Amino acid sequence: MNFPDLAGRTAVITGGARGIGYSLASALARQSVNVALLDLLPEVADSAARLADEHGVQTASALVDVTDPVSVDAAFADVRGELGVADILITAAGITIWGDSAEVEPDTWRKVIDVNLNGTFFSTQAFARPLLAEGREGSAILISSMSGRVVNVPQHQASYNASKAAVDQLTSSLAVEWAPALRVNAIAPGYILSDMTRQFIDANPDLAAQWISAIPAGRMGEPADLDGLVLLLASSASSYLTGQTLVIDGGYTAI
């Protein structure tokens, strides 16, 4: 797959040090997109250096707490200083914490909402400001989840489900507000074998079999299964597509 209009553009990926964020950053780098990785994990600098070595693109990195708008603004400013104004954004920073909703601690609930919803908003806001100020076009791709529209079982993750449903509505709201200059879409992955998912199924080995039994495609997704959709959304090939959350789940939510 090739999207020649992406070459030479600049993307910022939150949660880019590993997992889905890094996989999508690699997909963009293969299209000659310059990439900045933002993450709370200290290995983010090594991940950015690896991307540059493997794909010959310019990269940058910054440590960031996406729940802190001051930290987010500083990270985006650092990226602009190194790579210029980014016109592609992927918000892959996110967490889930399982637990019985009747017993969940308020701080645990707030943490999931803070990272997944507030962190997504602060990052998208910091991305949009310079583009809107300069009258430039851009594409923001927010990482939602099929959990924004279905209740996953058997795990209890009400905070995660609620946060991703909110990301879907945030996507539509920002797309309408910032059109026509900026396009804002989301992708809603199903069960993807990310680092986070692998940790859960390693700790709960029966889960993988239960999940797969409910997926018409007969398997869990790999991070690379998201590449084509994200490249399409980043590219001008989707110039009339905005305000949408696109589910990519092997058919799970179709049942």
Side-chain angles (χ1 to χ4, degrees):
M1 106 193 70
N2 188 32
F3 294 88
D5 71 295
L6 293 177
R9 293 172 62 184
T10 297
V12 173
I13 297 90
T14 69
R18 65 181 186 181
I20 288 175
Y22 184 80
S23 177
L24 293 176
S26 299
L28 288 167
R30 288 193 294 271
Q31 301 290 324
S32 300
V33 176
N34 299 317
V35 174
L37 305 182
L38 308 186
D39 210 302
L40 195 60
L41 298 173
E43 59 261 38
V44 66
D46 292 337
S47 297
R50 186 163 66 252
L51 273 182
D53 289 342
E54 291 178 355
H55 303 291
V57 297
Q58 297 181 62
T59 65
S61 66
L63 289 170
V64 65
D65 175 359
V66 295
T67 70
D68 178 0
V70 174
S71 175
V72 172
D73 286 343
F76 273 80
D78 289 344
V79 168
R80 286 195 298 274
E82 292 191 53
L83 301 179
V85 176
D87 55 5
I88 300 168
L89 172 70
I90 300 174
T91 61
I95 61 170
T96 184
I97 301 175
W98 294 352
D100 187 341
S101 295
E103 307 298 332
V104 66
E105 294 292 331
D107 286 347
T108 299
W109 173 272
R110 291 189 188 102
K111 181 177 181 180
V112 175
I113 301 298
D114 208 11
V115 173
N116 294 356
L117 176 58
N118 297 340
T120 295
F121 175 70
F122 295 145
S123 300
T124 311
Q125 183 184 51
F127 166 76
R129 281 173 176 154
L131 293 171
L132 293 171
E134 297 177 14
R136 293 177 52 183
E137 296 182 349
S139 177
I141 304 161
L142 313 187
I143 305 299
S144 179
S145 170
M146 68 174 182
S147 304
R149 58 191 66 201
V150 298
V151 177
N152 307 82
V153 291
Q155 67 270 28
H156 296 159
Q157 52 179 43
S159 58
Y160 182 80
N161 298 349
S163 71
K164 293 303 186 178
V167 168
D168 290 350
Q169 180 63 9
L170 177 66
T171 297
S172 299
S173 300
L174 296 181
V176 171
E177 183 175 345
W178 292 340
L182 300 187
R183 294 187 298 112
V184 185
N185 291 289
I187 67 167
Y191 288 117
I192 303 294
L193 286 167
S194 64
D195 294 335
M196 183 170 68
T197 304
R198 289 183 192 278
Q199 290 174 3
F200 289 137
I201 61 177
D202 286 347
N204 305 274
D206 293 337
L207 270 182
Q210 183 170 344
W211 290 346
I212 290 170
S213 70
I215 302 172
R219 66 176 178 88
M220 294 176 66
E222 296 288 344
D225 288 320
L226 307 177
D227 291 357
L229 181 54
V230 167
L231 292 175
L232 173 67
L233 293 175
S235 165
S236 60
S238 61
S239 61
Y240 199 55
L241 178 56
T242 194
Q244 304 303 308
T245 297
L246 305 176
V247 180
I248 180 166
D249 66 354
Y252 185 95
T253 58
I255 298 176

